[in-house]
Structure formats: structure tokens, C-alpha cells
Amino acid sequence: MRSRTVGKTGFLRLGFERRSGHTILANLERRSPYMVQRALHCDEGMPGLAFVFLITTTGCVLQGDRLALDVTLGPRAQAHVTSQSATKIHAMDANYAAQSQTITLADDAYLEFLPDPVIPHRHSRFLSDTQISVAPSATLLLSEIIQPGRKHHHPDECFGATVLSIATSAVRPDGRALFTEKLVIEPRRYGMRQTGVMDSFDVFANVILCAPKDTAERIHERAGAGVNLADGLAFGACHLPNDAGLIYKVLGRETTQVKAKVREFWGVVREEVIGAALPPPYLWR
């Protein structure tokens, strides 16, 4: 299918509002292949938290796809947004796929945006741009886990993507810039097994926490850092500029290890910001 046809240019707009002590999905607008069914309230530790699954009817991302996601939280709203499964970027012989994401948090809003990993297949080209507007008193936990490809499917699938570009920038509601980060992966041009790149690791997690300065300091003290080459795991947190929060990175040989460390950091964030513990992992997680 050509670009700009039905099913190739999807968008999803989610607007969360706090009403009567609970957060509801007050606004929903979508176009295929994006879909959301309803907001669930399934977390006993945070009964007012709106839990939403992002669904794509195609099940994968193909060349020529253009996807747009807009998530807005009103004052004191609390939401958890995740995906139905991993985002699979299929092989491409022409064009590329792109997604744009806009996240807006009002005063005292709290958003956990924790989608499943991105799996770029061999010869895929994927561009992602995320624009964040976050109030000083709001908290955003944004996670991106990137796998090397289908490394157990074929040897050439491991770091076989043509290009993967992921950009993230954040501002205050008044437009004051906080930070910008861009990750560009081009395995054909630059070796991924170099020291200082991926070395012996395969899976990478990039976790951004936008939070008030005092909260970020407490989380940073608990986050820790470590490198264990025998177990194939490395992790650590550092401060974002302009007192924007923290950035937490994890490297691992397997996705399970990396997801476990991200969940550990997520648990610290929730305890420090909300004062609630995470529920037990779901069986499908």
C-alpha cells in the first residue's frame, strides 16, 4: 500500500482527566491502525489510575507507515499507557516508517508510558520523534526498550536494521527548553560491537524521568549503578539538565534482564512519587 492511504497514516489522541478521585479517559480520537478500547482501573495500589493499552490493528509497522500519538493529562490526572505487544518494524525495500508522539502533562499529573520493546527487523528504517511538555510539579516516566532484531531467527537479523532514529525533547508549558536527546543507530555504517557502543550487549533501554528536583534526587540515590559482564548487565542513572529529572539506561544480553531492571526503577519511582508499590507482574509480562 502507498503512503497516506487508509491504514497507513494512523493517529491516536488520548485525553485524561481526574474526576471524583479517579482518572478517566475523557477524550479519544483515532484513525486506523491505532485503537484503544477503554481505560481500566485494575491496579489495587492505585485505584484511581487509568490503565490503557495501545492497540494496532496491523500488528506491525511497515514501510510508508506514518503514525501519530498525542497523550494529554489534565491537572492531578494519573495514567499508565502501554502497548499490546512489542513493536515490530518489518523489513523494507523502499521508503521508511515514522512515528511522532506528543505528551503533555499539567500540574501534578502522573504518567507511566511503558510500551513493550521495539524489534527492528533486518533492512528496516524507522524514525521516532517525541515532544514532551511537562509542568514543574508533574511526573513522567517514559521507557524505550530496543532489541537488536530477531537474533534467534537468523544471524543477519542481529543489528540488521538499516537505520533507527529516536529523538526526544522536553519543554515547560511556557516553552522553556529542558533537554533534547537523539539516538541514531546505523549498523551498516558504524559497528555495534565496539567498546562504547554495544560491545557484547544486545538489548538497550532508555528511561526518561521528568520529575520535581527533590523527588528526582531521592530516586537517584536509590537507583544505583553497576556493570556485571559475567551476567551481561549494566545500568545507571544520571541527571538531566535544567533540573528536568533523570535518565536511566540499561544494557543487557537478553530482554528479560533489561525489562527486570526497568521494572525495578519503575518501582522506585512509584514509591517515591505516589507512595504505592507496584502490583505483581502479570503473567503475560
Side-chain angles (χ1 to χ4, degrees):
M1 296 173 64
R2 294 181 179 179
S3 296
R4 302 182 64 83
T5 56
V6 175
K8 300 290 287 182
T9 54
F11 68 80
L12 178 63
R13 298 188 181 99
L14 304 175
F16 295 93
E17 295 181 7
R18 186 176 179 87
R19 298 181 185 176
S20 302
H22 285 72
T23 298
I24 66 167
L25 182 55
N27 299 294
L28 170 61
E29 185 178 1
R30 72 173 188 89
R31 181 168 64 197
S32 180
Y34 266 135
M35 184 172 70
V36 162
Q37 293 176 324
R38 59 173 296 180
L40 305 175
H41 294 84
C42 54
D43 193 323
E44 294 183 0
M46 294 182 65
L49 180 77
F51 200 107
V52 169
F53 283 95
L54 304 179
I55 301 171
T56 58
T57 55
T58 57
C60 60
V61 177
L62 303 172
Q63 62 188 33
D65 284 0
R66 303 291 186 266
L67 306 173
L69 173 65
D70 188 319
V71 181
T72 301
L73 272 69
R76 300 177 60 231
Q78 298 178 339
H80 178 102
V81 178
T82 187
S83 56
Q84 63 180 359
S85 63
T87 300
K88 295 172 282 292
I89 316 297
H90 275 219
M92 301 174 185
D93 57 18
N95 211 303
Y96 62 96
Q99 73 172 11
S100 61
Q101 301 181 135
T102 302
I103 302 172
T104 306
L105 274 64
D107 293 335
D108 298 313
Y110 176 81
L111 173 62
E112 300 170 344
F113 189 6
L114 306 174
D116 275 335
V118 174
I119 307 176
H121 292 194
R122 185 172 31 165
H123 306 314
S124 61
R125 293 180 286 271
F126 182 61
L127 281 66
S128 175
D129 181 70
T130 301
Q131 302 288 329
I132 301 167
S133 175
V134 55
S137 59
T139 300
L140 167 65
L141 180 64
L142 171 66
S143 169
E144 295 169 320
I145 299 177
I146 304 169
Q147 296 186 198
R150 299 174 296 171
K151 69 174 186 177
H152 299 297
H153 175 70
H154 190 281
D156 292 342
E157 286 283 343
C158 191
F159 299 118
T162 301
V163 61
L164 185 67
S165 173
I166 299 176
T168 306
S169 60
V171 300
R172 292 299 186 201
D174 60 5
R176 180 168 60 91
L178 295 176
F179 65 87
T180 297
E181 183 191 45
K182 186 165 186 177
L183 170 68
V184 179
I185 301 172
E186 294 181 277
R188 293 184 180 181
R189 294 183 62 188
Y190 305 102
M192 301 300 294
R193 292 303 184 189
Q194 300 180 61
T195 300
V197 186
M198 291 298 289
D199 196 66
S200 62
F201 300 103
D202 289 335
V203 185
F204 171 68
N206 196 47
V207 184
I208 291 174
L209 171 68
C210 296
K213 182 179 179 179
D214 57 341
T215 303
E217 289 292 345
R218 296 196 305 270
I219 294 170
H220 184 260
E221 291 177 0
R222 295 181 58 185
V227 177
N228 189 326
L229 296 179
D231 292 339
L233 186 67
F235 62 95
C238 63
H239 292 88
L240 289 168
N242 300 307
D243 295 327
L246 304 175
I247 188 163
Y248 180 72
K249 297 180 184 289
V250 185
L251 291 169
R253 294 202 182 101
E254 298 296 338
T255 306
T256 302
Q257 301 170 290
V258 174
K259 292 177 73 173
K261 291 305 294 184
V262 171
R263 179 180 172 84
E264 183 180 303
F265 184 75
W266 171 24
V268 172
V269 171
R270 186 179 282 198
E271 288 176 5
E272 292 293 341
V273 177
I274 304 297
L278 293 181
Y282 297 110
L283 293 176
W284 61 86
R285 292 290 176 180

